[in-house]
Amino acid sequence: MSTRTAVVTGASSGIGAATARKLAEAGYRVVLTARRAERVEALAAELTAAGREAVAHPLDVTDRQAVDAFAASLDRCDVLVNNAGGAFGLDPVAEGDPADWRAMYEVNVLGVLHVTQALLPALKGSGDGTVVVLSSTAGLGTYEGGGGYVAAKHGAHALTETLRLELCGAPVRVVEVAPGMVRTDEFSLTRFRGDQERADAVYAGVADPLTAEDVADTVAWAVTRPSHVNIDLLVVRPRAQASNTKVHREPR
Ligand code: NAP
């Protein structure tokens, strides 16, 4: 039998890349997917050079045909980490662009649906599968300007809770990790369409936002619990953030 295999979506940066590293360290053969082929290929090469088992597979999770072809190419899948996602804009509901809302639903909800549906047979077939969904505290509560992202992550949360009910009795755990503020290189930059100043302002004065590695630790911890232990929902925030809207910022 080949090594236990973990598929990580959105492994080209941030939390996905850090999670792939952690799971590779934990002994999994990691399959790194994202749209930017060169990024996942470079990470797979780095992990392989370090003696880990890693392969890259370019994939857009919103493209169902591509997802199905990807699933068909795998010989096994024991763990799926649905991490690909993101926010576009911080507009009030009154002004939000429906195209942004649609794009956020596509990647954060339908992306999770596509990949999970395509890999469920393999996850069940493994006899001990785990599905992880990287949702967000935006999936559990609202905040002004969050609009479309909040709606999409609530969708991801609802999908995850429903799936857990439906898979009860099957040998597949369903885990949701919901981070608060994580300072990754690209999340806020993507949200503000490349405006580095606005992206930096998100974290201004916050002593220690979470890092991608902090979140990856929680994912790897949940995945590596004994098979009968299902971490349903793990909310993780930095100490300086008590809710979506209460963040302690040091005066400048
Ligand atoms: P990030 O660095 O922007 O990572 C997003 C990842 O998703 C990238 O690897 C990106 O890769 C991939 N991706 C985006 N659209 C995709 C698509 N259509 N198909 C395949 N891959 C796609 O952000 P992050 O901070 O690591 O966030 C990772 C996850 O955690 C997201 O779901 C995010 O919503 C969630 N989260 C983040 C925070 C935070 O504060 N940073 C907090 C809570 C939850 P490509 O562009 O190469 O495709």
Side-chain angles (χ1 to χ4, degrees), residues 207-237:
D208 280 308
L210 295 178
T211 64
E213 290 69 30
D214 293 328
V215 180
D217 254 350
T218 68
V219 174
W221 177 79
V223 166
T224 54
R225 293 312 85 209
S227 305
H228 67 287
V229 178
N230 195 112
I231 307 299
D232 284 11
L233 171 63
L234 195 157
V235 177
V236 52
R237 300 185 202 265

Side-chain angles (χ1 to χ4, degrees), residues 10 12-13 15 35-36 60-61 83 135 149 153 179-180 182 184:
S12 60
S13 63
I15 295 167
R35 291 167 303 177
R36 286 171 293 179
D60 181 340
V61 295
N83 163 79
S135 62
Y149 183 61
K153 288 299 192 184
V182 191
T184 53

